[in-house]
Amino acid sequence: MTGRLSVVGLGPGNSHQLTPEADAIVSAAGALFGYGPYLDRVPERAGQRRHPSDNRQELYRAEQALNAAAEGETVAIVSGGDPGVFGMAAAVCEALDRGPTSWRNVEVAFVPGVSAMLAVAARVGAPLGHDFCAISLSDNLKPWEVVEQRLEAAAAAGFVIALYNPVSRARPWQLERAFSRLRTILPDTTPVVFGRAVGRQDERIAITQLSAAQGNSADMATCIIVGSAETRMIERPGSCPLVYTPRGTARPTA
Amino acid sequence: MTGRLSVVGLGPGNSHQLTPEADAIVSAAGALFGYGPYLDRVPERAGQRRHPSDNRQELYRAEQALNAAAEGETVAIVSGGDPGVFGMAAAVCEALDRGPTSWRNVEVAFVPGVSAMLAVAARVGAPLGHDFCAISLSDNLKPWEVVEQRLEAAAAAGFVIALYNPVSRARPWQLERAFSRLRTILPDTTPVVFGRAVGRQDERIAITQLSAAQGNSADMATCIIVGSAETRMIERPGSCPLVYTPRGTARPTA
């Protein structure tokens, strides 16, 4: 007998942005797995087993959860934001792909959520209003030169760029390096949005220009949006400016 | 006296994936604006005025809504998915940018939702599991050569690609042309996911390979995800295959 594994997106971090679907599945699970701070967002329920694990233990966590589901449990793994965007969904698939064939009989479901870049964008207007990309700056699992190639290709082709995993204790210099590369391609005035812990009590939003963007202005809880050459700001009296990328473009990019 | 305008994402189309935040704001609005089929998703409420408009009337709709808010109404514009991803958020910003300065005093809020690509990805695994981009195939507001440049740049740099607005009555050939361009860069076996009306009663999901992907397999309600060269499929007995993109990459792309 096998159970069921759901890979659930908790959204940005407040209950108003948690979908009823995700809430129901997390509530009904017999066992919960996840990175500790994400699990802490889920209210305690009697009879529900909780298995917190550390950051960077994604594959181990996925294997533990698949094991429990294969033994008949109703299991949920929680991710912040959307589990399919630099969250636990890919780690679960990797574990399934490498693991015992019996795991392929486990019923697996993926439950989407509002990802960080969407929540950050909504705070300032519509910076992702036209073609855009999402890049993880982590070089734990890919060479840094691939990160730089993708940054340059995206900026040159006119994509707005959302940066995930911009910095960590073990990766202090990557974000500044990314800004440096982007400055060789994009105008100095390109809007840059830093969105930290959006939707949570310690939320912090900052809007600046690429020439002034600093690599030490972010932490692990920050998602950064770098505009394209077409991204604009609208000043408003008494309110924060709006940042948006128009829906169309008149001219081919270089 | 000015009112308030909220630009609200309804998510993929079922109430289980609508956030409580979006639900509350739409319920409390005095006037609702939106593309007819999106407005139809919102339950009728006594005393709430509804202003449906046609597709391709985004700027007009945004102006009408800003006008109503400037006159003191509590207004919501609804978008399918997330309003910041090829939805109404950019159109509202454009209207604000071009419109009378008095509109800049209107309180404007953007309310994120689960966008189509996240919902489609969740149905099949984790195809957006690593760096990815979103491209609108519509050449109503940008030249087609820009679309092709972006497709080629994204595929060559190793991004998974989510295609929005793949086809319409007025744009019948663009998707097939996009597949043709991508076939010159990506392996024949690259997984391609067609996700139509995800979360709704007429949902249809199809998984194929790039060599077999057909431009006439999609309509306006379809979001398509084209893998990178690293995207993989996991066959499962008695279930659909899973499609995922591993979290890391070992080799620099060309």
Side-chain angles (χ1 to χ4, degrees):
Chain A
M1 188 209 119
T2 64
R4 179 183 172 89
L5 171 60
S6 300
V7 189
V8 181
L10 297 180
N14 67 76
S15 59
H16 299 298
Q17 295 182 327
L18 175 70
T19 68
E21 178 185 44
D23 194 25
I25 289 173
V26 167
S27 300
L32 290 177
F33 290 79
Y35 173 47
Y38 296 144
L39 267 190
D40 290 343
R41 293 192 200 164
V42 179
E44 300 261 5
R45 278 180 196 85
Q48 205 174 39
R49 283 170 304 289
R50 302 164 79 92
H51 304 275
S53 40
D54 280 347
N55 206 1
R56 298 188 60 176
Q57 295 201 306
E58 290 85 3
L59 207 57
Y60 170 77
R61 186 186 303 143
E63 290 163 353
Q64 299 296 102
L66 278 161
N67 248 333
E71 286 169 2
E73 287 227 65
T74 302
V75 178
I77 299 189
V78 296
S79 263
D82 180 86
V85 177
F86 308 115
M88 283 301 299
V92 167
C93 290
E94 282 175 47
L96 238 168
D97 204 1
R98 302 178 190 184
T101 50
S102 62
W103 283 358
R104 301 191 183 204
N105 297 314
V106 173
E107 193 182 337
V108 183
F110 301 88
V111 180
V114 173
S115 63
M117 65 182 169
L118 304 185
V120 171
R123 275 290 188 263
V124 300
L128 307 177
H130 203 56
D131 301 334
F132 66 92
C133 67
I135 302 180
S136 169
L137 283 194
S138 171
D139 54 353
N140 291 334
L141 293 167
K142 68 184 163 190
W144 177 253
E145 62 259 42
V146 172
V147 178
E148 288 205 357
Q149 283 173 8
R150 290 183 182 170
L151 287 169
E152 291 173 19
F159 289 95
V160 174
I161 301 172
L163 299 174
Y164 279 76
N165 304 321
V167 72
S168 76
R169 246 183 303 260
R171 297 182 293 101
W173 52 264
Q174 280 81 346
L175 180 58
E176 186 55 45
R177 189 79 65 91
F179 286 145
S180 297
R181 300 304 307 164
L182 293 173
R183 283 189 197 106
T184 67
I185 299 168
L186 293 168
D188 279 354
T189 54
T190 303
V192 176
V193 180
F194 292 79
R196 184 182 180 285
V198 166
R200 306 201 288 279
Q201 295 218 317
D202 50 345
E203 170 176 317
R204 209 166 55 229
I205 303 282
I207 300 172
T208 184
Q209 295 187 333
L210 184 54
S211 59
Q214 295 194 325
N216 59 7
S217 305
D219 64 9
M220 276 173 60
T222 308
C223 180
I224 296 155
I225 299 177
V226 180
S228 73
E230 321 229 14
T231 303
R232 296 168 55 83
M233 302 228 304
I234 307 174
E235 298 294 339
R236 295 182 301 170
S239 306
C240 285
L242 290 174
V243 180
Y244 82 102
T245 305
R247 297 166 302 148
T249 177
R251 55 188 171 74
T253 48
Chain B
M1 188 209 118
T2 65
R4 183 183 168 90
L5 171 60
S6 300
V7 188
V8 181
L10 297 179
N14 66 75
S15 58
H16 299 297
Q17 295 181 328
L18 175 70
T19 68
E21 178 185 42
D23 195 23
I25 288 173
V26 167
S27 301
L32 290 176
F33 290 79
Y35 174 47
Y38 295 144
L39 266 191
D40 290 344
R41 293 191 200 163
V42 179
E44 300 260 5
R45 278 181 197 85
Q48 205 174 41
R49 283 168 304 288
R50 302 165 78 91
H51 304 276
S53 41
D54 280 347
N55 206 0
R56 298 187 61 178
Q57 295 201 304
E58 289 84 4
L59 207 57
Y60 170 77
R61 185 186 305 141
E63 289 163 354
Q64 299 296 101
L66 278 161
N67 248 332
E71 287 170 1
E73 288 227 64
T74 302
V75 178
I77 299 190
V78 296
S79 263
D82 180 84
V85 177
F86 308 116
M88 283 300 300
V92 166
C93 291
E94 281 174 48
L96 239 169
D97 205 0
R98 302 178 190 184
T101 50
S102 61
W103 283 359
R104 300 190 183 203
N105 297 313
V106 172
E107 193 182 335
V108 182
F110 302 88
V111 180
V114 173
S115 64
M117 65 182 169
L118 304 184
V120 171
R123 276 289 189 262
V124 300
L128 307 178
H130 202 56
D131 302 333
F132 66 92
C133 66
I135 301 180
S136 168
L137 284 193
S138 171
D139 54 354
N140 291 334
L141 292 168
K142 68 184 161 190
W144 177 253
E145 63 258 42
V146 172
V147 178
E148 289 204 358
Q149 281 172 8
R150 290 183 182 169
L151 287 168
E152 292 173 20
F159 289 96
V160 174
I161 301 172
L163 299 174
Y164 280 76
N165 304 320
V167 72
S168 75
R169 246 184 303 260
R171 296 182 294 103
W173 53 263
Q174 280 81 344
L175 179 57
E176 185 55 46
R177 189 79 65 91
F179 286 145
S180 297
R181 299 303 307 163
L182 293 173
R183 282 187 199 107
T184 66
I185 299 168
L186 293 167
D188 280 353
T189 54
T190 304
V192 177
V193 180
F194 291 80
R196 184 184 180 284
V198 165
R200 304 202 288 279
Q201 294 218 317
D202 50 344
E203 169 176 318
R204 210 166 55 230
I205 303 282
I207 299 171
T208 185
Q209 295 185 333
L210 184 56
S211 59
Q214 297 194 322
N216 59 8
S217 304
D219 65 11
M220 277 171 61
T222 308
C223 180
I224 297 155
I225 298 176
V226 180
S228 74
E230 320 229 15
T231 305
R232 296 170 54 84
M233 303 226 306
I234 308 174
E235 299 293 339
R236 295 182 299 170
S239 305
C240 286
L242 290 176
V243 180
Y244 81 101
T245 305
R247 296 165 302 147
T249 177
R251 55 188 172 71
T253 50

